[in-house]
Amino acid sequence: MKKRTAELPERIRRYDVVRIDVEYEGLDGHKKRPVAIMIVGDGPSYVGVKITSKAKYEKDDVWLVEPSAANLTDGVARCAQLVSFDHRDIVGYYGHLDNADINLIVGELSKLDESDFIHLRVH
């Protein structure tokens, strides 16, 4: 799923993939996992989409077509699963999404209603 994380760049940008310790949806526990940044806010704060390799296909999932651009070996963006976090929560950096994957994720996000989203917590 993922290669080793790289050193954190001086500036985190929209569509970068970072490593965050995220709690499981509906289960006890947490895991450090890739998150693709979709929104860069003030603070700095961010909102991202969870990326996983162990997903059964769900209607809101996007299979990454060029994961190596973000230094991942494979991945599924779980577009309905959002993570809000601060800069201090970032524990690693993978890379930047390919334009094809950006377009797929943004396209899927635009189809979702606010009630479709699950907000995951940072551990």
Side-chain angles (χ1 to χ4, degrees):
M1 149 62 141
K2 51 203 167 280
K3 298 178 182 177
R4 297 187 136 215
T5 57
E7 186 175 320
L8 213 60
E10 197 170 303
R11 182 173 166 254
I12 299 293
R13 303 174 299 151
R14 188 175 188 193
Y15 310 126
D16 279 349
V17 179
V18 296
R19 189 171 176 90
I20 305 290
D21 195 3
V22 179
E23 292 188 1
Y24 290 119
E25 174 200 353
L27 300 171
D28 290 335
H30 55 93
K31 182 179 181 179
K32 292 178 183 159
R33 64 173 59 255
V35 173
I37 296 174
M38 297 290 112
I39 299 172
V40 177
D42 296 331
S45 61
Y46 310 94
V47 176
V49 172
K50 179 178 96 170
I51 297 178
T52 184
S53 64
K54 300 192 187 305
K56 294 182 272 182
Y57 180 77
E58 295 187 21
K59 66 180 177 91
D60 307 321
D61 289 352
V62 169
W63 293 88
L64 301 180
V65 294
E66 292 293 337
S68 61
N71 202 28
L72 300 170
T73 56
D74 61 8
V76 177
R78 305 296 306 268
C79 293
Q81 295 188 12
L82 302 180
V83 183
S84 297
F85 56 97
D86 294 320
H87 191 80
R88 68 178 178 272
D89 298 318
I90 299 172
V91 297
Y93 178 82
Y94 293 99
H96 194 78
L97 289 173
D98 179 82
N99 284 339
D101 290 323
I102 291 168
N103 291 333
L104 288 170
I105 293 169
V106 169
E108 189 60 38
L109 287 170
S110 70
K111 297 176 192 174
L112 299 175
D113 293 324
E114 192 168 326
S115 62
D116 294 327
F117 291 110
I118 298 166
H119 296 273
L120 304 175
R121 296 187 336 200
V122 174
H123 180 73

